[in-house]
Amino acid sequence: MPISDISSDFSIKEHIYYLNHAAVSPWPVKTATAIKQFADENTQLGATQYLQWIKVEQELRENITQLINAPSCDDIALVKNTSEALSFVAYGITWQPGDNIVIAQQEFPSNRIVWQSLQDQGVEVKLVDLYQKSDITPEKSLMLATNEKTRLLSVSSVQYADGLKMDLEKLGDFCQKNNVLFCVDAIQSIGALNLDVQAINADFVMADGHKWLMSPEGLGLFYCKASLRDKIKLSQYGWRMIENQFDFDSLTWTEAKTARKFECGSPNMLGIHALNCSIKLILERKIEFIEQQLVKNSRYIVKKLETIPEITIQSDTATPRISGIVSFSHEHISSETLYNELMAHDVICAMRHGNVRFSPHYYTSTEVIDGAIEILNKIIASAHSVRS
């Protein structure tokens, strides 16, 4: 698919060099249009079309199911964010004193704090340095940390700070063979890279919609393997999580048989309309194409950075590891200085783990990347002239 065919998907102002999809994505034009239409409908008609809204909600579940290759849309819950879904898992499992959980030391706080909060229940949390030994892969480091008391291994599909893409199939296969629950925080890959929940033998997968899924904050997805749904006890209750959700008069109830059991109250209908539109765009463009183009953009950024003296690329750029995140630092200029100057010049990026982080998406043009690199070069040259 030619780049020209996707250039109209977004309408970012020309002076903005947007390289921050690993944080918060701009909305596609179609998604913004859907949000405006929904707002106009609410303004003029209120909830007159609520039955149609329910159909959009069901369509969203079906589209998520297709995107991540879940067995059924019954396996999909619509949640507020990744942290909420992780909490469902953490506080839904019946833990025994002495159980342990294995996670990476480099995890984003959402995929660390929730497990550490279980320590007062006698649960041990093992923090594994993914880079502790150069002759051992990150996956092997995680696997070596497990033992007969390990109940769950939780990992990000892509590490947020440096973009390390994990071999989820290897980890999922290991967990399945060793009776360890496998939980994947996929916020840095769903919408950017192909992720098949069945191929990786995942028990739980969660992701927010505001990064690579290019939707507003406040709505995400939670995949729970069907065989585990009844084993996860609930910590939130309300009208929506029961089987007969619209039977308001009954004094008896049972939990929903589907993953809707994790949705306790009224749905985020605005977010549902937006996320559904963004995912439909991803399905239309095809995730295989999006991944191919995204990796191409990341490699182009790497190539450009490699021409700048004293720049060190902190991301693993090998074929199995590269993602949509490229992190780097400068030998003599602090990352904080680089980040502040880049942002001041409309290069929208992030600073993570002491490095500057660029994260393009599939539609990002080489002109945008070239412009950002040109500004970076000017910032470095200016800093050198001050020092001299």
Side-chain angles (χ1 to χ4, degrees), residues 290-305:
I290 289 174
E291 177 173 349
Q292 179 185 37
Q293 192 61 40
L294 179 61
V295 169
K296 181 180 178 182
N297 283 337
S298 291
R299 292 200 182 284
Y300 187 73
I301 290 173
V302 170
K303 180 181 177 181
K304 287 289 184 175
L305 289 173

Side-chain angles (χ1 to χ4, degrees), residues 22 106-109 156 158-164 187-188 325 327 351-353 357:
Q106 287 79 12
E107 288 292 341
F108 189 75
S156 291
V158 171
Q159 290 299 319
Y160 80 101
D162 64 2
L164 179 72
I187 195 170
Q188 294 294 1
I325 293 172
S327 293
M351 190 175 75
R352 298 291 187 268
H353 278 199
R357 186 184 72 181

